[in-house]
Amino acid sequence: QVQLVESGGGLVQPGGSLRLSCAASGTFRGIPIMGWYRQTPGKQRELVAIITSGGSTTYADSVKGRFTISRDNAKNTVYLQMNSLKPEDTAVYYCKADILTYGAFAVSSYWGQGTQVTVSS
């Protein structure tokens, strides 16, 4: 019943910007945490940024000062504004949401399909 749909990936030059979006649809009581992860070939998927329903944020050290995570609770959507992009930011970016569904005692994790971000001159 729950689905996450990502958008906004693409190809940009170093120093450029992209804005990723991830919208959750379905039936649920709430989404305590939404966030973004990324993965490159041969590496483990890593946390980029997370945000709680109350607006508290956590960032990976590698993106602090360059990326900004935000969410629109009315739209059940999380965003990732990526500025000053570097080639090392190239990866598949995945949206993740910890969702509390009706009748559940704890949250369940849902993943988006992933969107490619390529930073190259």
Side-chain angles (χ1 to χ4, degrees):
Q1 191 71 18
V2 179
Q3 184 178 8
L4 302 180
V5 180
E6 301 178 29
S7 62
L11 172 65
V12 296
Q13 295 185 346
S17 298
L18 283 175
R19 183 175 175 85
L20 306 182
S21 299
C22 175
S25 63
T27 303
F28 42 81
R29 287 193 284 162
I31 311 177
I33 300 174
M34 302 185 81
W36 294 93
Y37 295 72
R38 66 187 182 186
Q39 187 169 24
T40 56
K43 293 188 63 178
Q44 184 178 357
R45 188 172 300 183
E46 65 178 356
L47 171 73
V48 177
I50 57 174
I51 184 169
T52 70
S53 59
S56 297
T57 59
T58 300
Y59 296 92
D61 288 340
S62 59
V63 307
K64 286 181 179 177
R66 299 187 299 118
F67 291 10
T68 302
I69 189 171
S70 61
R71 62 188 286 174
D72 185 336
N73 291 331
K75 296 181 178 180
N76 293 318
T77 300
V78 63
Y79 306 93
L80 185 67
Q81 179 66 47
M82 303 184 293
N83 298 326
S84 302
L85 283 162
K86 305 175 181 180
E88 47 263 48
D89 294 318
T90 296
V92 177
Y93 284 70
Y94 295 90
C95 174
K96 181 188 177 185
D98 294 334
I99 298 177
L100 185 63
T101 58
Y102 291 102
F105 297 102
V107 296
S108 297
S109 295
Y110 294 84
W111 291 90
Q113 79 279 8
T115 184
Q116 177 70 48
V117 172
T118 302
V119 185
S120 179
S121 59

